[in-house]
Amino acid sequence: QAKRNGRDDYATFDPVMQQKFDYTTRLEKEMRNALKQFNFALYYQPQYDFKQNLVSAEALIRWNHPELGLVGPSDFITLAEESNLILPMGNWVLAEACQQLKEWQSQPKYQHLTLSINISAKQIWQKDFVEDVKKIVVDSAIDLSKLKLEITESVLLDNIDEVAQKLNALVEFGLSFSLDDFGTGYSSLGYLKSLPIEELKIDQSFIRDVLDDEADLIMVKSIIDLGKNFDLTVVAEGIESEQHFNLLKEFGCDVYQGLYFSRPLAISEFDSLM
Ligand code: C2E
Ligand code: MG
Ligand code: MG
Ligand code: MG
């Protein structure tokens, strides 16, 4: 981004823009290296049923940065999407999650666990998305009924028919889909009709104030009823207190995830929890 200086005889770079550009390219380069050096890790956040049995987990990516320490996805997923690095990153997440599932499936006490991973819309839009996913899953030789792919409604938007076709192919293959951050996008209800979804995740922004905010309360209750009417599993994320848990339980929510139970855990911590 060039900016004219006062005398208008030459262009200079706006230092703020330049800094931002430097930062972005540096981060991108670092991410590329981190992928080569396996400096990413999956953390596992436990999910419970209403009896507080551990039934599943969501895999959440972390970047083990040499200087910054553990960096969360909100700081790099958008950039990864903009730079297309989300494609190799997404494949790595899938392969890593499959490897973990494979290990769980070899041990009786872990065999019941379902594992969810987050998929970016950019991945779905790839021509080879379906084939890539199938290949990684087949190579890992897991029981694929225990693998769930979370997609977010807000970014699917237009090409809904094409997306539906791809998801249907993967459902036929044996995978299942969850609609993440439900309620925050524009056409949530339409997706329920056209996409092969088997689970709804109520966005944590609705749960946060559900104890004080009447509108949020009605929203949460309605989403649960909606999910039930469509015969979907309903997951509440952002359960931070016993009151949250009790209220959602009263409404008939199926699965609970949040800091009240556990933060996302490194695999060694997850093992200790089991
Ligand atoms: P998400 O899929 O909605 O994941 C839930 C987020 O809520 C996680 O943040 C989790 O740590 C956080 N969380 C869990 N319990 C609580 C709670 O009780 N209170 C609050 N305030 N937050 C809670 P995280 O790990 O920072 O991930 C943020 C987002 O980054 C995820 O939102 C997901 O959209 C994206 N993401 C994470 N991993 C991946 C990945 O492997 N691939 C892609 N494409 N996106 C990912
Ligand atoms: Mg998610
Ligand atoms: Mg999300
Ligand atoms: Mg979410």
Side-chain angles (χ1 to χ4, degrees):
Q1 176 91 25
K3 189 172 92 179
R4 293 275 153 201
N5 77 352
R7 288 172 56 190
D8 204 29
D9 51 0
Y10 62 88
T12 56
F13 277 104
D14 178 335
V16 175
M17 288 302 295
Q18 182 63 39
Q19 258 176 30
K20 191 160 179 248
F21 178 77
D22 287 348
Y23 179 71
T24 304
T25 41
R26 186 186 135 196
L27 212 61
E28 223 182 283
K29 201 171 139 200
E30 286 184 347
M31 263 195 294
R32 214 174 286 280
N33 286 332
L35 273 172
K36 283 190 202 130
Q37 294 163 7
F38 302 102
N39 281 344
F40 289 98
L42 289 184
Y43 272 51
Y44 299 85
Q45 187 168 33
Q47 297 176 326
Y48 296 83
D49 67 10
F50 74 98
K51 291 180 187 153
Q52 302 199 47
N53 295 313
L54 181 51
V55 288
S56 43
E58 177 177 10
L60 295 157
I61 194 169
R62 302 289 182 259
W63 179 0
N64 227 321
H65 192 282
E67 288 138 48
L68 302 173
L70 213 56
V71 180
S74 52
D75 289 325
F76 63 86
I77 286 290
T78 305
L79 184 58
E81 287 173 341
E82 284 166 5
S83 61
N84 277 336
L85 277 173
I86 195 70
L87 303 176
M89 193 181 285
N91 284 343
W92 176 82
V93 168
L94 177 61
E96 181 75 11
C98 285
Q99 202 178 316
Q100 192 53 56
L101 255 185
K102 183 75 193 163
E103 202 168 309
W104 286 349
Q105 290 174 355
S106 70
Q107 301 172 53
K109 78 167 176 172
Y110 290 99
Q111 260 164 15
H112 65 289
L113 290 178
T114 297
L115 183 57
S116 297
I117 64 169
N118 292 280
I119 297 281
S120 157
K122 199 128 196 197
Q123 293 173 261
I124 301 177
W125 293 337
Q126 287 306 298
K127 187 166 59 59
D128 298 330
F129 173 67
V130 172
E131 288 315 310
D132 285 356
V133 168
K134 281 186 182 174
K135 179 164 189 335
I136 293 171
V137 171
V138 165
D139 283 352
S140 72
I142 54 164
D143 163 10
L144 70 182
S145 70
K146 294 283 193 280
L147 180 62
K148 199 170 286 181
L149 308 186
E150 294 189 4
I151 58 173
T152 45
E153 48 169 359
S154 54
V155 282
L156 292 173
L157 292 176
D158 307 332
N159 20 18
I160 190 76
D161 290 341
E162 197 189 320
V163 170
Q165 214 176 352
K166 289 180 173 182
L167 302 198
N168 279 320
L170 288 174
V171 166
E172 234 163 85
F173 176 65
L175 295 173
S176 60
F177 287 92
S178 173
L179 198 46
D180 203 358
D181 307 333
F182 187 77
T184 59
Y186 293 107
S187 42
S188 325
L189 295 179
Y191 289 135
L192 286 188
K193 198 177 132 183
S194 43
L195 297 179
I197 296 299
E198 70 125 43
E199 178 182 282
L200 280 191
K201 294 190 82 172
I202 309 174
D203 191 64
Q204 49 179 273
S205 62
F206 296 117
I207 308 288
R208 192 182 310 127
D209 301 320
V210 72
L211 299 166
D212 318 303
D213 188 321
E214 182 74 14
D216 282 336
L217 184 91
I218 294 170
M219 206 94 77
V220 166
K221 190 173 184 315
S222 304
I223 293 175
I224 293 171
D225 290 344
L226 180 74
K228 291 203 161 302
N229 290 337
F230 273 96
D231 215 9
L232 306 173
T233 303
V234 181
V235 182
E237 54 181 32
I239 299 291
E240 294 188 351
S241 67
E242 189 176 6
Q243 289 96 308
H244 278 162
F245 178 49
N246 286 335
L247 183 69
L248 274 281
K249 210 160 49 172
E250 203 180 297
F251 290 163
C253 184
D254 301 300
V255 178
Y256 308 82
Q257 174 182 355
L259 299 180
Y260 172 61
F261 297 104
S262 170
R263 61 180 171 80
L265 302 171
I267 194 61
S268 56
E269 300 171 308
F270 191 91
D271 284 342
S272 320
L273 181 86
M274 292 292 288

